[in-house]
Amino acid sequence: LLEGLEKVEFSESLKEQQRNWIGKSQGAEISFSLSPGPSPKERGDGREALSLGEGLGEVLIVYTTRPDTIFGVDFMVIAPEHELVAKITTPGQKEAIEKYLAYVKSRSDRERMAEVKQITGCFTGTYAINPFDGRKIPVWIAEYVLAGYGTGAIMAVPCGDQRDFDFAKHFNIPVTNIIGNYFDGTTANPTKDAVLTNSGFLNGMVMRDAIDVVNTKLVEMGIGRRQVNYKMRDAGFSRQRYWGEPFPIVWKDGEPYPLDEKELPLELPHVEKYGPGPMGEGPLANLREWVTLPPGAGDQVGMRETSTMPGYAGSSWYFLRYMDPHNDKTFCDRSVSDYWGQVDVYVGGTEHAVGHLLYSRMWTKFLFDLGHIGYDEPYKRLVNQGMITGVSQLACRYVSDGNQDSIYMADSIPGSQIKISGLIDTDDNNIAAIMARGDYPEFYFSADAIVNEMDGKYLQIHLPIKYVNNSQLNIEELVQKENRFSKALFRCNGGFYLRGKWYDDNKNIASPLVFKTISVSEKMSKSKLNSVNPDELVESYGADTFRMYEMFLGPVEASKPWDTKGIEGVHRFLKKLWRLFYDDMKGKVWKEEKATPEELKILHRAIRKIEDDTERFSFNTAVSTFMICVNELNDAKCHKKEILEQLLILLTPYAPHIAEELWHQLGNAGSVLDASYPVFDAKHVAESSKEYPVSINGKVRTNISIALDISQPEVEQIVLANETVQKWLEGKSPKKIIYVKNKMVNVVV
């Protein structure tokens, strides 16, 4: 999987995600002898020793990528799940360890690794012996070490690892400096460039050079070995849901057995409704007749598995099935997959980097190893499309104590005065009086401009963007069409709105006031109420305008804000394109005439650029090229079928509907989809002339277009015939005319 990343065209960031998930590291496994705590004499406190004999007879195996730091180990950390925990915990530490283990069991692996600021751990009472200097190193358990990686134990070097350093500081563990000036006593430094100190036989050696020396020494002493480790772990391959491939497994007496091949494929049974099973299983557990295999089912009597496979089960190989979907003998005939080959381009999001994409690569390599397919990577190239962001509109909803369920509502404070600045008064139209009449508002919203004037805490709530224009909320329309806002109070500068009426701060019924919302750019989604219904845009502008505007927003890989204001420009472009064929007043204007060299140049420049942009997925620049091309054809007053026909074929992937319509208007039979794609011809864009700056005595006075293959005498003749040159010569004859091909012309008087 790691080697395969070098031969596929994925983004470097996605490759790095997969490398990190696989987590290959090269290091060493080291065996440390274990010992009980120091003797009373060693401690000097007179207490009885925790007698476990001369030694524990146990060995702690640690995996490390930095064996060069062996003399800087100040403590060991083992995972709470490590098999040695119960064996090495001393009697004096037993209660503390059991309490800590109970805490860890309530935490997930994700929580344990993510919360770097929370430092927890517990000392076992046991020490490991440094094999090189005999120093006793305390052994702790801590949640930041996981049993599933390496050996489930680490040697902690506080001067070189920040997490170890923070742990040592938190529990007052002395820190040994083995890197001299590279360690300032306040922050760990993971360098490999320091010269080692306080490191016995390694003193004076550069750290990166010491790694192999220590590895060799460990092997010679028989207490260690070189080791390659991987972080990648098997993901749970079952889901408690209905949709998904059912497992062809039958349980008998607690043991799983596969279905016989003749009973495959196992298909999902029909269900009337979806819901959890009796004991919290997946929905299939509700179908008792399907789950329980009846007597007479041969060797398969038992209970079916009720979980289903995850989404990346089928998605890891479905692209192969697409090549040969009707084959009932195998998933895909080898000759068919050899013909079609790999997927050339895969367009997908980075959220699948270490799920579907990684497993698809793994399954493909597995099928390749079995000889079922002829390639070991599923996708040659991956394009990560960017996210379309929307502009969300927010208003502040006030709460009494910051709790979303504790809102200023009628049920909690009927008839009372609300502590909102500017609303408390004794007039019949103030908010307290309105509430006293029983006309209770359910929610209190504030415009952004007056947030600081309000008492209490607030939450920012999303409002549907279709009721907002230029950050101004149309409250009347919102309340009328969205029932959940019908009893809301909206406070803004100068007054408030409630139950279909505006009230100003002078207690009079006021004219509509401006309620300003808070605009925030974030992912477009229904939950944020900032999504745009494409059906409405298609209804207003047509599908082609919508398609091309999406592509015109920016590079396909970049996240882009959606702004319907820009859609007008694309719509005008398509109207201008239409006018090359039909005039509003004259009707048909396209002609059956031969194209001029200048018109062919415009077309073939566009062919070259659009083909290149499309190949590179640079759709936004291709749309820009279409616009330039149409403008140039308009300026050239070109309405010739020979040019327009080719332009329509170019446009078809971008605006298929208008292209198809105009294709038929040109009198063509069949679909534009069946037309041959235009072929770029370099001869049409080759320049035959050049615009030369013409200087007189070193000062540029004019520009003259001169053919590229012209001779010196011809250049002189053209220059001297120019009106501007004649004016500056004032009737004098030039001493000489200097002509530098492709650069300039200088007339010396």
Side-chain angles (χ1 to χ4, degrees), residues 68-74 135 156-160 165 173-189 191 194-200 203 207:
D68 54 304
T69 63
I70 186 81
F71 288 95
V73 180
D74 291 316
R135 188 158 62 107
V157 183
C159 73
F165 179 81
I173 301 172
V175 176
T176 303
N177 180 13
I178 60 170
I179 55 177
N181 293 333
Y182 280 81
F183 178 59
D184 62 7
T186 62
T187 307
N189 188 341
T191 181
V195 174
L196 286 162
T197 61
N198 298 319
S199 296
N203 279 340
M207 298 181 84

mmCIF file of all heavy atoms in Angstrom, residues 68-74 135 156-160 165 173-189 191 194-200 203 207:
data_model
loop_
_atom_site.group_PDB
_atom_site.id
_atom_site.type_symbol
_atom_site.label_atom_id
_atom_site.label_comp_id
_atom_site.label_asym_id
_atom_site.label_seq_id
_atom_site.Cartn_x
_atom_site.Cartn_y
_atom_site.Cartn_z
ATOM 1 N N ASP A 68 18.504 5.498 20.379
ATOM 2 C CA ASP A 68 19.634 6.358 20.742
ATOM 3 C C ASP A 68 19.386 7.125 22.033
ATOM 4 O O ASP A 68 20.329 7.627 22.649
ATOM 5 C CB ASP A 68 19.925 7.347 19.610
ATOM 6 C CG ASP A 68 18.700 8.151 19.209
ATOM 7 O OD1 ASP A 68 17.674 7.529 18.874
ATOM 8 O OD2 ASP A 68 18.757 9.401 19.226
ATOM 9 N N THR A 69 18.118 7.210 22.470
ATOM 10 C CA THR A 69 17.783 7.972 23.681
ATOM 11 C C THR A 69 17.700 7.084 24.916
ATOM 12 O O THR A 69 17.152 7.504 25.939
ATOM 13 C CB THR A 69 16.433 8.704 23.491
ATOM 14 O OG1 THR A 69 15.386 7.728 23.304
ATOM 15 C CG2 THR A 69 16.471 9.624 22.277
ATOM 16 N N ILE A 70 18.239 5.877 24.862
ATOM 17 C CA ILE A 70 18.088 4.889 25.939
ATOM 18 C C ILE A 70 18.563 5.411 27.299
ATOM 19 O O ILE A 70 17.992 5.077 28.339
ATOM 20 C CB ILE A 70 18.848 3.584 25.572
ATOM 21 C CG1 ILE A 70 18.592 2.488 26.601
ATOM 22 C CG2 ILE A 70 20.324 3.827 25.409
ATOM 23 C CD1 ILE A 70 17.307 1.783 26.400
ATOM 24 N N PHE A 71 19.579 6.292 27.307
ATOM 25 C CA PHE A 71 20.079 6.809 28.581
ATOM 26 C C PHE A 71 19.236 7.977 29.103
ATOM 27 O O PHE A 71 19.447 8.434 30.222
ATOM 28 C CB PHE A 71 21.543 7.250 28.436
ATOM 29 C CG PHE A 71 22.502 6.100 28.312
ATOM 30 C CD1 PHE A 71 22.910 5.655 27.069
ATOM 31 C CD2 PHE A 71 22.985 5.451 29.444
ATOM 32 C CE1 PHE A 71 23.794 4.597 26.942
ATOM 33 C CE2 PHE A 71 23.875 4.381 29.332
ATOM 34 C CZ PHE A 71 24.283 3.947 28.077
ATOM 35 N N GLY A 72 18.287 8.461 28.286
ATOM 36 C CA GLY A 72 17.422 9.553 28.722
ATOM 37 C C GLY A 72 16.056 9.080 29.177
ATOM 38 O O GLY A 72 15.159 9.896 29.411
ATOM 39 N N VAL A 73 15.888 7.752 29.340
ATOM 40 C CA VAL A 73 14.600 7.210 29.767
ATOM 41 C C VAL A 73 14.422 7.468 31.260
ATOM 42 O O VAL A 73 15.189 6.970 32.084
ATOM 43 C CB VAL A 73 14.506 5.698 29.480
ATOM 44 C CG1 VAL A 73 13.151 5.156 29.932
ATOM 45 C CG2 VAL A 73 14.718 5.422 28.001
ATOM 46 N N ASP A 74 13.384 8.237 31.614
ATOM 47 C CA ASP A 74 13.140 8.576 33.021
ATOM 48 C C ASP A 74 11.945 7.850 33.606
ATOM 49 O O ASP A 74 11.769 7.828 34.826
ATOM 50 C CB ASP A 74 12.943 10.087 33.162
ATOM 51 C CG ASP A 74 14.241 10.848 32.915
ATOM 52 O OD1 ASP A 74 15.292 10.417 33.424
ATOM 53 O OD2 ASP A 74 14.205 11.856 32.185
ATOM 54 N N ARG A 135 20.206 1.664 35.981
ATOM 55 C CA ARG A 135 19.320 2.619 36.653
ATOM 56 C C ARG A 135 17.906 2.077 36.730
ATOM 57 O O ARG A 135 17.401 1.479 35.777
ATOM 58 C CB ARG A 135 19.338 3.955 35.900
ATOM 59 C CG ARG A 135 18.608 5.079 36.613
ATOM 60 C CD ARG A 135 19.115 6.449 36.133
ATOM 61 N NE ARG A 135 18.874 6.651 34.719
ATOM 62 C CZ ARG A 135 17.947 7.475 34.235
ATOM 63 N NH1 ARG A 135 17.142 8.126 35.063
ATOM 64 N NH2 ARG A 135 17.810 7.641 32.942
ATOM 65 N N ALA A 156 9.803 6.437 28.083
ATOM 66 C CA ALA A 156 9.541 7.861 28.023
ATOM 67 C C ALA A 156 10.829 8.653 28.209
ATOM 68 O O ALA A 156 11.554 8.465 29.195
ATOM 69 C CB ALA A 156 8.522 8.256 29.087
ATOM 70 N N VAL A 157 11.098 9.549 27.241
ATOM 71 C CA VAL A 157 12.298 10.390 27.259
ATOM 72 C C VAL A 157 11.830 11.846 27.297
ATOM 73 O O VAL A 157 11.627 12.469 26.251
ATOM 74 C CB VAL A 157 13.176 10.126 26.022
ATOM 75 C CG1 VAL A 157 14.456 10.958 26.081
ATOM 76 C CG2 VAL A 157 13.501 8.642 25.897
ATOM 77 N N PRO A 158 11.629 12.418 28.480
ATOM 78 C CA PRO A 158 11.024 13.749 28.594
ATOM 79 C C PRO A 158 11.778 14.859 27.871
ATOM 80 O O PRO A 158 11.167 15.792 27.372
ATOM 81 C CB PRO A 158 10.989 13.995 30.107
ATOM 82 C CG PRO A 158 11.003 12.631 30.714
ATOM 83 C CD PRO A 158 11.846 11.793 29.794
ATOM 84 N N CYS A 159 13.106 14.774 27.800
ATOM 85 C CA CYS A 159 13.834 15.866 27.157
ATOM 86 C C CYS A 159 13.653 15.849 25.640
ATOM 87 O O CYS A 159 13.944 16.841 24.968
ATOM 88 C CB CYS A 159 15.317 15.832 27.516
ATOM 89 S SG CYS A 159 16.250 14.499 26.714
ATOM 90 N N GLY A 160 13.145 14.723 25.082
ATOM 91 C CA GLY A 160 13.015 14.614 23.632
ATOM 92 C C GLY A 160 11.600 14.447 23.119
ATOM 93 O O GLY A 160 11.386 14.455 21.903
ATOM 94 N N PHE A 165 7.430 14.891 28.360
ATOM 95 C CA PHE A 165 7.876 16.011 29.194
ATOM 96 C C PHE A 165 6.725 16.538 30.047
ATOM 97 O O PHE A 165 6.882 16.772 31.253
ATOM 98 C CB PHE A 165 8.431 17.121 28.302
ATOM 99 C CG PHE A 165 8.908 18.331 29.064
ATOM 100 C CD1 PHE A 165 10.166 18.347 29.662
ATOM 101 C CD2 PHE A 165 8.102 19.451 29.198
ATOM 102 C CE1 PHE A 165 10.608 19.456 30.380
ATOM 103 C CE2 PHE A 165 8.530 20.564 29.907
ATOM 104 C CZ PHE A 165 9.789 20.565 30.507
ATOM 105 N N ILE A 173 8.396 13.973 38.011
ATOM 106 C CA ILE A 173 9.421 12.967 37.707
ATOM 107 C C ILE A 173 10.659 13.701 37.218
ATOM 108 O O ILE A 173 10.576 14.508 36.279
ATOM 109 C CB ILE A 173 8.920 11.979 36.632
ATOM 110 C CG1 ILE A 173 7.644 11.272 37.114
ATOM 111 C CG2 ILE A 173 9.993 10.973 36.272
ATOM 112 C CD1 ILE A 173 6.969 10.419 36.044
ATOM 113 N N PRO A 174 11.832 13.464 37.809
ATOM 114 C CA PRO A 174 13.058 14.155 37.379
ATOM 115 C C PRO A 174 13.359 13.889 35.903
ATOM 116 O O PRO A 174 13.140 12.786 35.405
ATOM 117 C CB PRO A 174 14.139 13.558 38.285
ATOM 118 C CG PRO A 174 13.398 13.041 39.473
ATOM 119 C CD PRO A 174 12.072 12.573 38.967
ATOM 120 N N VAL A 175 13.863 14.919 35.210
ATOM 121 C CA VAL A 175 14.156 14.823 33.782
ATOM 122 C C VAL A 175 15.657 14.797 33.557
ATOM 123 O O VAL A 175 16.389 15.663 34.059
ATOM 124 C CB VAL A 175 13.534 16.011 33.009
ATOM 125 C CG1 VAL A 175 13.915 15.955 31.530
ATOM 126 C CG2 VAL A 175 12.013 16.006 33.170
ATOM 127 N N THR A 176 16.128 13.811 32.822
ATOM 128 C CA THR A 176 17.544 13.688 32.473
ATOM 129 C C THR A 176 17.798 14.362 31.133
ATOM 130 O O THR A 176 17.106 14.086 30.147
ATOM 131 C CB THR A 176 17.960 12.209 32.381
ATOM 132 O OG1 THR A 176 17.678 11.562 33.624
ATOM 133 C CG2 THR A 176 19.438 12.078 32.054
ATOM 134 N N ASN A 177 18.816 15.223 31.093
ATOM 135 C CA ASN A 177 19.167 15.908 29.846
ATOM 136 C C ASN A 177 20.289 15.154 29.142
ATOM 137 O O ASN A 177 21.413 15.079 29.648
ATOM 138 C CB ASN A 177 19.604 17.343 30.133
ATOM 139 C CG ASN A 177 19.979 18.099 28.870
ATOM 140 O OD1 ASN A 177 19.693 17.646 27.766
ATOM 141 N ND2 ASN A 177 20.618 19.249 29.029
ATOM 142 N N ILE A 178 19.988 14.592 27.986
ATOM 143 C CA ILE A 178 21.012 13.861 27.222
ATOM 144 C C ILE A 178 21.382 14.601 25.929
ATOM 145 O O ILE A 178 22.169 14.093 25.131
ATOM 146 C CB ILE A 178 20.535 12.438 26.865
ATOM 147 C CG1 ILE A 178 19.256 12.498 26.021
ATOM 148 C CG2 ILE A 178 20.354 11.589 28.112
ATOM 149 C CD1 ILE A 178 18.866 11.146 25.424
ATOM 150 N N ILE A 179 20.810 15.819 25.728
ATOM 151 C CA ILE A 179 21.062 16.531 24.471
ATOM 152 C C ILE A 179 21.679 17.905 24.694
ATOM 153 O O ILE A 179 21.677 18.753 23.796
ATOM 154 C CB ILE A 179 19.764 16.658 23.637
ATOM 155 C CG1 ILE A 179 18.632 17.321 24.433
ATOM 156 C CG2 ILE A 179 19.325 15.306 23.132
ATOM 157 C CD1 ILE A 179 17.347 17.528 23.632
ATOM 158 N N GLY A 180 22.228 18.147 25.859
ATOM 159 C CA GLY A 180 22.976 19.373 26.124
ATOM 160 C C GLY A 180 22.168 20.633 25.892
ATOM 161 O O GLY A 180 21.053 20.787 26.390
ATOM 162 N N ASN A 181 22.731 21.557 25.101
ATOM 163 C CA ASN A 181 22.097 22.860 24.863
ATOM 164 C C ASN A 181 20.833 22.764 24.018
ATOM 165 O O ASN A 181 20.100 23.754 23.889
ATOM 166 C CB ASN A 181 23.089 23.805 24.184
ATOM 167 C CG ASN A 181 24.240 24.171 25.101
ATOM 168 O OD1 ASN A 181 24.101 24.157 26.329
ATOM 169 N ND2 ASN A 181 25.395 24.472 24.517
ATOM 170 N N TYR A 182 20.573 21.614 23.422
ATOM 171 C CA TYR A 182 19.346 21.446 22.636
ATOM 172 C C TYR A 182 18.108 21.388 23.534
ATOM 173 O O TYR A 182 16.991 21.484 23.053
ATOM 174 C CB TYR A 182 19.420 20.173 21.785
ATOM 175 C CG TYR A 182 20.227 20.336 20.508
ATOM 176 C CD1 TYR A 182 21.610 20.270 20.531
ATOM 177 C CD2 TYR A 182 19.599 20.557 19.290
ATOM 178 C CE1 TYR A 182 22.358 20.419 19.375
ATOM 179 C CE2 TYR A 182 20.324 20.709 18.123
ATOM 180 C CZ TYR A 182 21.713 20.643 18.171
ATOM 181 O OH TYR A 182 22.446 20.785 17.011
ATOM 182 N N PHE A 183 18.308 21.199 24.843
ATOM 183 C CA PHE A 183 17.191 21.131 25.797
ATOM 184 C C PHE A 183 17.276 22.323 26.727
ATOM 185 O O PHE A 183 18.280 22.520 27.414
ATOM 186 C CB PHE A 183 17.262 19.826 26.587
ATOM 187 C CG PHE A 183 16.186 19.672 27.630
ATOM 188 C CD1 PHE A 183 14.841 19.704 27.281
ATOM 189 C CD2 PHE A 183 16.514 19.491 28.967
ATOM 190 C CE1 PHE A 183 13.848 19.563 28.238
ATOM 191 C CE2 PHE A 183 15.533 19.333 29.934
ATOM 192 C CZ PHE A 183 14.198 19.371 29.557
ATOM 193 N N ASP A 184 16.193 23.148 26.737
ATOM 194 C CA ASP A 184 16.206 24.366 27.559
ATOM 195 C C ASP A 184 15.516 24.197 28.902
ATOM 196 O O ASP A 184 15.400 25.148 29.675
ATOM 197 C CB ASP A 184 15.566 25.527 26.796
ATOM 198 C CG ASP A 184 14.095 25.276 26.451
ATOM 199 O OD1 ASP A 184 13.537 24.259 26.913
ATOM 200 O OD2 ASP A 184 13.514 26.097 25.719
ATOM 201 N N GLY A 185 15.033 22.999 29.194
ATOM 202 C CA GLY A 185 14.395 22.744 30.482
ATOM 203 C C GLY A 185 12.921 23.090 30.528
ATOM 204 O O GLY A 185 12.260 22.802 31.526
ATOM 205 N N THR A 186 12.409 23.708 29.465
ATOM 206 C CA THR A 186 10.991 24.087 29.463
ATOM 207 C C THR A 186 10.192 23.405 28.356
ATOM 208 O O THR A 186 8.972 23.303 28.443
ATOM 209 C CB THR A 186 10.838 25.615 29.298
ATOM 210 O OG1 THR A 186 11.404 26.012 28.031
ATOM 211 C CG2 THR A 186 11.545 26.350 30.424
ATOM 212 N N THR A 187 10.863 22.943 27.315
ATOM 213 C CA THR A 187 10.198 22.311 26.176
ATOM 214 C C THR A 187 11.049 21.161 25.662
ATOM 215 O O THR A 187 12.279 21.277 25.580
ATOM 216 C CB THR A 187 9.985 23.327 25.025
ATOM 217 O OG1 THR A 187 9.328 24.479 25.529
ATOM 218 C CG2 THR A 187 9.135 22.710 23.919
ATOM 219 N N ALA A 188 10.393 20.060 25.307
ATOM 220 C CA ALA A 188 11.123 18.917 24.754
ATOM 221 C C ALA A 188 11.618 19.238 23.348
ATOM 222 O O ALA A 188 11.030 20.054 22.634
ATOM 223 C CB ALA A 188 10.226 17.687 24.722
ATOM 224 N N ASN A 189 12.682 18.573 22.939
ATOM 225 C CA ASN A 189 13.240 18.774 21.599
ATOM 226 C C ASN A 189 13.490 17.405 20.958
ATOM 227 O O ASN A 189 14.372 16.670 21.390
ATOM 228 C CB ASN A 189 14.549 19.556 21.683
ATOM 229 C CG ASN A 189 15.075 19.956 20.319
ATOM 230 O OD1 ASN A 189 14.689 19.393 19.304
ATOM 231 N ND2 ASN A 189 15.971 20.934 20.295
ATOM 232 N N THR A 191 14.988 16.461 18.388
ATOM 233 C CA THR A 191 16.080 16.498 17.416
ATOM 234 C C THR A 191 16.838 15.168 17.305
ATOM 235 O O THR A 191 16.872 14.378 18.254
ATOM 236 C CB THR A 191 17.072 17.612 17.789
ATOM 237 O OG1 THR A 191 18.113 17.652 16.824
ATOM 238 C CG2 THR A 191 17.687 17.346 19.165
ATOM 239 N N ALA A 194 21.588 16.467 17.879
ATOM 240 C CA ALA A 194 22.372 16.800 19.073
ATOM 241 C C ALA A 194 23.485 15.787 19.298
ATOM 242 O O ALA A 194 23.383 14.613 18.909
ATOM 243 C CB ALA A 194 21.462 16.854 20.291
ATOM 244 N N VAL A 195 24.549 16.260 19.955
ATOM 245 C CA VAL A 195 25.622 15.367 20.404
ATOM 246 C C VAL A 195 25.233 14.859 21.785
ATOM 247 O O VAL A 195 24.917 15.647 22.681
ATOM 248 C CB VAL A 195 26.976 16.107 20.454
ATOM 249 C CG1 VAL A 195 28.049 15.208 21.063
ATOM 250 C CG2 VAL A 195 27.384 16.555 19.054
ATOM 251 N N LEU A 196 25.233 13.544 21.951
ATOM 252 C CA LEU A 196 24.734 12.936 23.186
ATOM 253 C C LEU A 196 25.641 13.205 24.376
ATOM 254 O O LEU A 196 26.880 13.156 24.270
ATOM 255 C CB LEU A 196 24.570 11.427 22.990
ATOM 256 C CG LEU A 196 23.364 11.021 22.131
ATOM 257 C CD1 LEU A 196 23.510 9.593 21.627
ATOM 258 C CD2 LEU A 196 22.063 11.174 22.912
ATOM 259 N N THR A 197 25.021 13.506 25.530
ATOM 260 C CA THR A 197 25.713 13.636 26.814
ATOM 261 C C THR A 197 24.973 12.769 27.827
ATOM 262 O O THR A 197 23.853 12.322 27.583
ATOM 263 C CB THR A 197 25.720 15.101 27.296
ATOM 264 O OG1 THR A 197 24.366 15.538 27.473
ATOM 265 C CG2 THR A 197 26.404 16.011 26.283
ATOM 266 N N ASN A 198 25.589 12.534 28.975
ATOM 267 C CA ASN A 198 24.972 11.697 30.025
ATOM 268 C C ASN A 198 24.466 10.378 29.445
ATOM 269 O O ASN A 198 23.426 9.872 29.846
ATOM 270 C CB ASN A 198 23.799 12.436 30.694
ATOM 271 C CG ASN A 198 24.226 13.707 31.396
ATOM 272 O OD1 ASN A 198 25.284 13.734 32.050
ATOM 273 N ND2 ASN A 198 23.442 14.755 31.246
ATOM 274 N N SER A 199 25.209 9.838 28.490
ATOM 275 C CA SER A 199 24.741 8.661 27.755
ATOM 276 C C SER A 199 25.773 7.544 27.673
ATOM 277 O O SER A 199 25.824 6.792 26.684
ATOM 278 C CB SER A 199 24.329 9.080 26.329
ATOM 279 O OG SER A 199 23.236 9.964 26.360
ATOM 280 N N GLY A 200 26.601 7.411 28.721
ATOM 281 C CA GLY A 200 27.518 6.282 28.788
ATOM 282 C C GLY A 200 28.400 6.147 27.558
ATOM 283 O O GLY A 200 29.065 7.117 27.139
ATOM 284 N N ASN A 203 28.330 8.851 24.619
ATOM 285 C CA ASN A 203 28.719 10.249 24.798
ATOM 286 C C ASN A 203 29.579 10.734 23.627
ATOM 287 O O ASN A 203 30.496 10.028 23.169
ATOM 288 C CB ASN A 203 29.503 10.438 26.098
ATOM 289 C CG ASN A 203 28.578 10.531 27.299
ATOM 290 O OD1 ASN A 203 27.394 10.819 27.158
ATOM 291 N ND2 ASN A 203 29.118 10.273 28.490
ATOM 292 N N MET A 207 23.197 11.928 17.540
ATOM 293 C CA MET A 207 22.075 11.032 17.840
ATOM 294 C C MET A 207 21.705 10.131 16.667
ATOM 295 O O MET A 207 21.503 8.927 16.834
ATOM 296 C CB MET A 207 20.855 11.853 18.276
ATOM 297 C CG MET A 207 21.076 12.668 19.532
ATOM 298 S SD MET A 207 19.608 13.608 20.026
ATOM 299 C CE MET A 207 18.708 12.365 20.938
#
